[in-house]
Amino acid sequence: MLGEGLVPTPWQTLRAAYAMWADGTMTTDLQASLARAGQGFAAGASTGIALGFVTGHRPRVAALVGPVMSFLRPIPAIALVPLVTAWFGIGERAKHLVIAYAVFLAVWLYVHDGVARVPADHLRAARTLGVPAWRRLIEVLLPAAALSVVAALRYGASLAFLALVAAELGGAQSGIAYRLQIDGQFLRTDHMFVGLIELRLLGLLADALISAAGRRLVHWSSS
Amino acid sequence: MSTLVQLDGIEVDHDGKRAVATTDLEFPEGSFTSLLGPTGCGKSTLLNTIAGFVTPSSGRVLMDGAPVTGPGPDRGMVFQHYALLPWFTARGNVEFALKRFGLPRAERRERALESLDAVGLADAAEKYPTQLSGGMRQRVALARALAAEPRVLLMDEPFGALDAITRARMQRLLTQLWQRTCTTVVFVTHDVAEALALSQRVVVMAADPGRVIADHRLADDPASDRTAPHPLHARIVAQLGTDS
Ligand SMILES: Nc1ncnc2c1ncn2[C@@H]1O[C@H](COP(=O)(O)OP(=O)(O)OP(=O)(O)O)[C@@H](O)[C@H]1O
Ligand SMILES: [Mg+2]
């Protein structure tokens, strides 16, 4: 059985949230975590998308890159935390790297798959119409793979928060997961619940934003 | 008429297997030729070789005397499954082909609408492909291919996915467009009646390995509605053996 006071009531949680907001820790932690997740996500997603387009479109490059990715994919981002910390210390760079790594692998896989599935006839039609390569990329490949890119970003965002937690638990001075760990040492489960809810809400928000942007961009597939 | 496309002793292999054995064919400028044959006889392979998607393992494809090295807008293509871009409207798909001419926006739009009008789709210009029937989609694809002003139009079973009535309509439309634009057409089908109804010439192919086994020049006026079966019909069916 759980000890008394270890499961906070909603009221206690709300009060803790107010206290954390009032003393400024909530803002500091949110800012720190969002900056890390955002930067790691941006780096991992952009490289994942770029490489996904290259390997999806060029089977020869895929044959070279694919095995490397298959080798890396089973290594969880969490397992990299000690290594990255040994290399880069507990600074921000290490955290961005861990998050970017997790996001990159997932985003690459989804985008690569989506681009590889772009109907060959679409690209062939474009070539027989004298459409140059840069227009084939923008007007054929990008829209054809857009749904996959949206799915990749949604999945990537959820992984960014997972990796964020791993990175902050590995050593940080601020952040939602850092605070969770500190509060855990003092058995402040009311504060811990606030942290968990923050993470959940951030995840939901990121997902909602990406899906909404996706629905606006990929308007033709719903009709 | 001068030769526009020439297959000069081409042989095509797929994964080390011979798909088309040594073939020499010439397509005169402005002509309408059907490639007819059973499945797997290399019709698409020949068409894709002319288009420049497939490189022959020996021999050359000559376009106006110059060797073909890859796809280009002088050789347009109409695909069986339309290959329209779903994120563009009918007009957008035609404009996609027109952009290479670098016209001002308004003029490009105007020309796209004219092209759609020519295939009887003036009213559907702002519709997306998913909102169009199969026949309408193929009309857009035809308008798009012709908008790029190719010298040869390569068509790979373009009406194969359509019902009989739509198909007959599309055949009439194609004949009209061909007569109006004087574009050279190479038309792949495995329907003997379709080949005879449309073409000036029917090239019959056989499989294993893919090769040309007969080359029929038809009497002029291919567009006339024939009520009786074409006199060549039975002969070609016999040449195709049991496959047709
Ligand atoms: N991309 C490819 N890779 C390997 N083999 C192929 C490829 N495309 C065609 N082939 C083979 O080449 C031969 C000719 O095929 P092709 O598609 O040209 O025939 P076809 O006459 O167009 O047939 P269909 O009427 O079914 O469309 C077949 O044996 C086919 O299996
Ligand atoms: Mg074929």
Side-chain angles (χ1 to χ4, degrees):
Chain A
M1 284 303 291
L2 290 171
E4 194 166 333
L6 285 184
V7 180
T9 64
W11 174 241
Q12 286 169 328
T13 309
L14 212 62
R15 260 203 343 229
Y18 179 76
M20 291 163 81
W21 179 73
D23 70 9
T25 48
M26 184 184 276
T27 319
T28 317
D29 291 338
L30 273 174
Q31 270 172 356
S33 289
L34 268 180
R36 280 173 197 138
Q39 287 186 49
F41 177 76
S46 54
T47 46
I49 290 174
L51 189 64
F53 269 90
V54 174
T55 56
H57 190 53
R58 297 262 177 251
R60 275 188 219 156
V61 182
L64 290 175
V65 174
V68 179
M69 301 304 243
S70 308
F71 172 77
L72 291 177
R73 205 168 323 111
I75 305 175
I78 300 175
L80 287 187
V81 172
L83 181 66
V84 169
T85 309
W87 281 344
F88 298 102
I90 58 165
E92 292 306 302
R93 190 130 70 103
K95 291 169 187 58
H96 296 161
L97 207 66
V98 168
I99 297 165
Y101 166 84
V103 173
F104 166 74
L105 283 180
V107 166
W108 170 79
L109 185 65
Y110 273 64
V111 173
H112 166 84
D113 193 60
V115 173
R117 280 168 202 272
V118 171
D121 277 357
H122 284 176
L123 290 162
R124 289 185 158 196
R127 294 177 74 189
T128 61
L129 294 169
V131 175
W134 66 271
R135 275 188 54 211
R136 292 203 296 274
L137 172 65
I138 293 171
E139 294 177 50
V140 183
L141 275 184
L142 280 179
L147 275 179
S148 305
V149 173
V150 172
L153 292 179
R154 291 180 65 182
Y155 186 45
S158 68
L159 289 185
F161 287 109
L162 273 179
L164 170 78
V165 172
E168 288 185 352
L169 292 182
Q173 308 301 322
S174 60
I176 299 170
Y178 158 79
R179 194 71 53 197
L180 269 172
Q181 200 176 25
I182 301 294
D183 289 330
Q185 287 165 10
F186 295 101
L187 297 181
R188 289 303 304 263
T189 53
D190 52 345
H191 283 205
M192 295 174 79
F193 266 54
V194 174
L196 292 175
I197 292 169
E198 280 174 326
L199 282 173
R200 181 78 196 105
L201 287 179
L202 286 181
L204 280 177
L205 189 69
D207 193 62
L209 282 176
I210 297 169
S211 330
R215 269 193 304 275
R216 287 197 60 171
L217 282 168
V218 192
H219 59 87
W220 60 89
S221 73
S222 52
S223 61
Chain B
M1 276 184 289
S2 63
T3 298
L4 182 63
V5 182
Q6 186 186 352
L7 306 185
D8 178 19
I10 62 160
E11 292 174 351
V12 187
D13 298 314
H14 281 310
D15 308 330
K17 187 176 165 276
R18 177 85 6 133
V20 176
T22 318
T23 300
D24 290 283
L25 277 176
E26 291 185 4
F27 302 91
E29 183 128 40
S31 61
F32 195 124
T33 309
S34 285
L35 298 181
L36 183 70
T39 187
C41 71
K43 304 182 295 293
S44 299
T45 302
L46 263 191
L47 214 60
N48 287 329
T49 311
I50 299 174
F53 294 126
V54 172
T55 310
S57 17
S58 63
R60 299 177 303 171
V61 177
L62 300 172
M63 182 75 191
D64 236 355
V68 161
T69 53
D74 54 341
R75 284 149 293 136
M77 189 123 179
V78 175
F79 300 82
Q80 180 172 4
H81 297 289
Y82 328 120
L84 295 178
L85 303 174
W87 39 92
F88 290 139
T89 60
R91 175 168 62 81
N93 270 280
V94 179
E95 288 198 35
F96 179 71
L98 287 171
K99 275 189 193 152
R100 77 187 183 92
F101 298 119
L103 304 165
R105 219 191 170 98
E107 198 181 332
R108 188 172 75 209
R109 183 192 163 97
E110 202 52 44
R111 281 198 29 200
L113 293 175
E114 279 165 22
S115 296
L116 288 170
D117 193 37
V119 296
L121 277 186
D123 295 337
E126 304 308 322
K127 292 229 159 80
Y128 285 90
T130 46
Q131 300 171 305
L132 301 173
S133 69
M136 292 163 98
R137 288 182 202 186
Q138 201 55 297
R139 281 167 195 257
V140 177
L142 200 51
R144 180 178 71 174
L146 289 172
E149 298 180 356
R151 300 192 62 195
V152 197
L153 189 59
L154 308 169
M155 307 182 79
D156 196 352
E157 302 194 44
F159 309 145
L162 304 178
D163 65 85
I165 295 168
T166 310
R167 191 176 184 144
R169 273 204 207 115
M170 292 299 292
Q171 290 171 355
R172 271 197 301 278
L173 173 69
L174 178 60
T175 303
Q176 276 171 21
L177 289 171
W178 171 62
Q179 285 167 340
R180 198 187 312 161
T181 59
C182 302
T183 309
T184 310
V185 179
V186 183
F187 187 97
V188 164
T189 178
H190 45 222
D191 181 334
V192 181
E194 181 169 69
L196 288 168
L198 290 171
S199 335
Q200 297 174 309
R201 176 182 175 203
V202 178
V203 173
V204 184
M205 297 178 66
D208 294 315
R211 64 197 186 279
V212 173
I213 53 167
D215 192 345
H216 301 281
R217 321 259 160 177
L218 275 55
D220 49 354
D221 193 20
S224 67
D225 283 319
R226 298 191 180 90
T227 39
H230 194 281
L232 270 173
H233 196 285
R235 243 180 85 193
I236 293 177
V237 170
Q239 281 168 340
L240 289 170
T242 51
D243 287 305
S244 185

